[in-house]
Amino acid sequence: MKRWKNAVAATALVLAGVFIIAVTATVGWRPFLGPRARPLTNRTFEPTAARLERGAYLVRNVTGCIYCHSDLESAGDILQIRADREGAGRSWKDEGTPWLVAPNITPDRESGAGAWSDDAIARAVREGIGHDGRALFPMMPYGNYRQMSDEDLASVIVYLRTLRPVRHTLPSSTVPFPVNRLINAAPQPVDGLVSSPDLSDPLTRGRYLATMASCGECHSPRDDKGQPVPGMAFSGGNTLSFEGHRSAASANLTPAASGIPYYTEALFVETIRTGRVRARRISELMPWSFYRNMSDEDLKAIFGYLKTLAPVDHYVDNSLPPTPCVRCNLTHGGGERNKKPV
């Protein structure tokens, strides 16, 4: 009997060891331990005229805060923000994710962010931890916003405090299992200061703005786990959808022959301003109407940055039927025209 018990105990220890090694080597322990989160501080951001101006520009033209946290409505050939729900949050059911909710970020104290501290908002924006301590779903691009400078972060928060309070109560996101556990690994505390980049350098400026605008989030294909496909950055192929509108795959923005090598600086600016590439209208699911009020200098800087990207041969054409693509393993217009990389 004693020998049998010893054998069972030894087997249990071996299995436990195998389990520990397997978890450590795969998903890690964050799904069980919860997200990394630093304690909140009492820091506040002083409202200044400069911060208010910069924050308004970023929030309304670059970062997507208002666009993602507002109900949208159709207006001709564009999707625009509902004026009476600006910043008041929305369910993302129309995008096919009914469990995802972008919260009310207006200063309403009961249903919005009015009772959240400045540091709670800062932690959510750059570190992916909600005011209630949960990990935010990475559709909120806090991974990109980690690079947002401290001063731009302060400007964004100062401006958000000036939005018109809207009473609009929404449920919290109910991320399905096991994704709700796996996303615990995504948030990372920001340690130390994040200085402002040298925006006088066009390439640095373009890279910074493209990151803040999360261009790569839509224009880089992702696998079935939501992870970027290696070697395919900015090459398009993600299918975007919105209830009542025709689905469309994002375009290849790299300088490859199947991307946008024919774009000039002037054509890029015109496309973002008008939603057209010469006579061809681009999909309204591309929020060009949000980005179109960026300054010429900023749009030109973003275009300059896109021209430096590694070319990726990936054909995407929404005028063709969606077909499986062996290049990105997704289904999109013109997918069958692609070949596996050698």
Side-chain angles (χ1 to χ4, degrees):
M1 179 66 72
K2 185 175 180 181
R3 183 179 301 173
W4 178 81
K5 288 182 178 180
N6 288 339
V8 171
T11 301
L13 286 172
V14 170
L15 291 175
V18 170
F19 174 76
I20 291 171
I21 293 171
V23 170
T24 303
T26 54
V27 299
W29 293 98
R30 281 296 149 192
F32 308 97
L33 299 176
R36 294 183 180 88
R38 63 170 176 80
L40 289 174
T41 70
N42 59 358
R43 69 170 169 168
T44 58
F45 301 110
E46 179 186 358
T48 65
R51 282 177 171 173
L52 186 59
E53 180 181 5
R54 176 66 172 170
Y57 181 77
L58 290 172
V59 168
R60 292 195 167 277
N61 304 294
V62 182
T63 61
C65 304
I66 295 295
Y67 192 84
C68 288
H69 287 266
S70 304
D71 282 330
L72 304 178
E73 60 186 3
S74 298
D77 60 352
I78 65 173
L79 281 170
Q80 68 178 19
I81 295 167
R82 268 185 57 176
D84 63 329
R85 289 287 179 83
E86 189 175 79
R90 68 176 165 105
S91 164
W92 277 55
K93 59 180 175 48
D94 289 331
E95 284 90 341
T97 50
W99 43 265
L100 183 62
V101 176
N104 184 341
I105 55 173
T106 74
D108 182 73
R109 293 190 63 83
E110 292 188 22
S111 63
W116 304 353
S117 70
D118 282 2
D119 196 41
I121 299 175
R123 191 177 67 171
V125 170
R126 287 201 310 194
E127 301 169 47
I129 299 295
H131 69 284
D132 54 3
R134 62 191 166 85
L136 300 180
F137 189 70
M139 186 72 76
M140 160 67 175
Y142 49 85
N144 291 337
Y145 296 157
R146 283 180 60 80
Q147 300 181 48
M148 184 183 293
S149 71
D150 291 341
E151 186 56 32
D152 277 349
L153 176 68
S155 297
V156 165
I157 294 172
V158 164
Y159 179 70
L160 290 178
R161 297 295 197 193
T162 71
L163 294 178
R164 180 177 66 88
V166 179
R167 183 64 53 84
H168 185 213
T169 302
L170 290 163
S172 297
S173 295
T174 53
V175 183
F177 180 84
V179 178
N180 63 336
R181 297 293 185 181
L182 296 176
I183 63 173
N184 283 339
Q188 299 287 336
V190 172
D191 297 322
L193 301 176
V194 181
S195 58
S196 298
D198 180 10
L199 299 183
S200 66
D201 175 67
L203 181 57
T204 300
R205 187 187 196 95
R207 182 188 299 109
Y208 181 72
L209 290 167
T211 302
M212 293 304 101
S214 298
C215 303
E217 297 303 300
C218 287
H219 288 274
S220 300
R222 294 178 175 273
D223 61 24
D224 56 2
K225 296 181 177 62
Q227 298 301 308
V229 178
M232 299 288 286
F234 288 86
S235 69
N238 275 331
T239 297
L240 310 176
S241 62
F242 194 90
E243 185 69 28
H245 294 260
R246 181 184 177 187
S247 297
S250 58
N252 184 342
L253 297 184
T254 76
S258 53
I260 56 171
Y262 58 92
Y263 269 50
T264 63
E265 186 180 80
L267 179 58
F268 180 79
V269 173
E270 178 184 335
T271 298
I272 300 300
R273 294 263 191 262
T274 66
R276 291 180 176 274
V277 183
R278 302 189 177 101
R280 176 173 62 85
R281 182 168 66 89
I282 63 177
S283 171
E284 65 274 18
L285 301 184
M286 158 62 183
W288 58 268
S289 62
F290 177 81
Y291 298 125
R292 65 180 171 184
N293 291 320
M294 277 197 228
S295 68
D296 282 354
E297 183 182 17
D298 283 351
L299 288 175
K300 290 175 181 179
I302 290 174
F303 177 69
Y305 167 64
L306 294 178
K307 296 293 283 184
T308 70
L309 296 173
V312 181
D313 185 17
H314 187 215
Y315 189 84
V316 181
D317 186 345
N318 286 308
S319 69
L320 298 175
T323 48
C325 172
V326 296
R327 189 77 170 85
C328 67
N329 294 316
L330 300 175
T331 297
H332 57 74
E336 63 186 1
R337 294 194 177 190
N338 293 299
K339 298 178 181 179
K340 281 190 175 182
V342 178

